[in-house]
Amino acid sequence: MRYGYYPGCSLTHSAAAYDLSARAVAGAFALELDEIHDWNCCGATEYITIHKSAAYALVGRNLALAEAQDGIDQLVAPCSACYLNLRKVDHNLGLYPELEEHTNAALAAGGLHYDPGSLRIRHLLDVVVDDVGLEAVAAKVTRPLAGLRLAPYYGCLLVRPSLNGDGADTEYPTHLDRLLRKLGAEVVDYPLKTHCCGGHMTQISADTAYELIRRLLDCAQQYQADAIVTACPMCQLNLDAYQSQVNRRFGTDFHLPVLYFTQMIGLALGMVPAALGFGQEIVPAEPALAKIGAAVPETEPASRHKRAGAELPMPRRRGED
């Protein structure tokens, strides 16, 4: 099975473990991820609210590049924000002829054109669950995740909005839950699974951002989860990198590793943790993975923080310089 692959900015830097594990898992299931040539940033979640026409051209360029790549009719994005932007632009260009006209006029300056609907936009989780299939995943498990209690965290973007009728429950989806069970893990009932992690609020409002993160961590801890498993690099970054700040602010003692679903698949398939990016997380995964006899490569504390910066930026309060 061949797909266009749009890694997005996060997977080339802060979420390198996600890209590494995604490619490793894809290889195990003969999924050919053909990276889009010369792709650019999708604009994240903010740009479309700042300059709509420019944002549509920015995302449209990636769609046009994918459409022009030989043999590509499906485009896969592991990042939930990238997935949403790509899908929303494709969907809206098909709905609004004037928007399509303006976007393609901008693309024409670079010799590009995009026909809305020519690509099927997919999230990597959807590809694994629906195209590979849960039974096919289960058949390859050699190191079941038995003994691990995992909290499946979808975040607020993955299933919202449900464009073109995906069928996933926007309030309480279960496809990640079912996947983790097939890997042998014990999946905890995680009622906040689609609540927002705050996104880039960590750079805007400490009070808002840290409270959103605290609630998610506290819920997972109350359900005695060994780790939180996500499909979004922004969610992973917020819950992992800002966990120590949340502990200082609220006097809590959270030590919950936040891992990618692709890493969990790779572990269950018997892959070496280092090949899946383990050791790059900030909150160590060792205590959780010790339960299944998987050794995480030794990593110096400084290198754990390298991907997020030696000192994480502290949000400013309103009115501060």
Side-chain angles (χ1 to χ4, degrees), residues 1-19:
M1 293 179 279
R2 185 165 179 254
Y3 305 85
Y5 182 59
Y6 178 80
C9 304
S10 293
L11 272 75
T12 64
H13 295 287
S14 61
Y18 195 7
D19 183 63

Side-chain angles (χ1 to χ4, degrees), residues 2-4 32 34 36-37 64-73:
R2 185 165 179 254
Y3 305 85
E32 184 180 349
D34 190 356
I36 302 305
H37 304 312
L65 290 170
E67 182 185 17
Q69 204 153 310
D70 288 343
I72 299 299
D73 59 8

Side-chain angles (χ1 to χ4, degrees), residues 1-3 25-33 132 140:
M1 293 179 279
R2 185 165 179 254
Y3 305 85
V25 166
F29 294 107
L31 299 176
E32 184 180 349
L33 300 180
V132 175
K140 283 187 173 287

Side-chain angles (χ1 to χ4, degrees), residues 54-77:
Y56 270 77
L58 189 73
V59 178
R61 181 178 182 274
N62 292 311
L63 295 171
L65 290 170
E67 182 185 17
Q69 204 153 310
D70 288 343
I72 299 299
D73 59 8
Q74 298 191 65
L75 182 58
V76 174

Side-chain angles (χ1 to χ4, degrees), residues 209-267:
Y210 290 168
E211 172 57 19
L212 288 171
I213 295 170
R214 184 202 65 79
R215 291 171 66 246
L216 293 169
L217 295 171
D218 183 64
C219 182
Q221 183 167 278
Q222 285 189 42
Y223 280 84
Q224 300 179 326
D226 295 310
I228 295 173
V229 179
T230 187
C232 175
M234 175 57 73
C235 296
Q236 195 281 337
L237 179 66
N238 278 345
L239 296 179
D240 183 31
Y242 290 94
Q243 205 164 135
S244 59
Q245 281 94 323
V246 168
N247 283 335
R248 286 197 295 270
R249 177 171 286 248
F250 295 102
T252 49
D253 190 32
F254 299 124
H255 298 285
L256 276 166
V258 186
L259 308 170
Y260 295 108
F261 80 96
T262 45
Q263 291 180 298
M264 308 316 295
I265 296 174
L267 281 176

Side-chain angles (χ1 to χ4, degrees), residues 88-100:
K88 180 162 54 178
V89 168
D90 174 63
H91 180 77
N92 288 345
L93 291 181
L95 282 181
Y96 305 107
E98 185 176 354
L99 182 60
E100 179 192 355

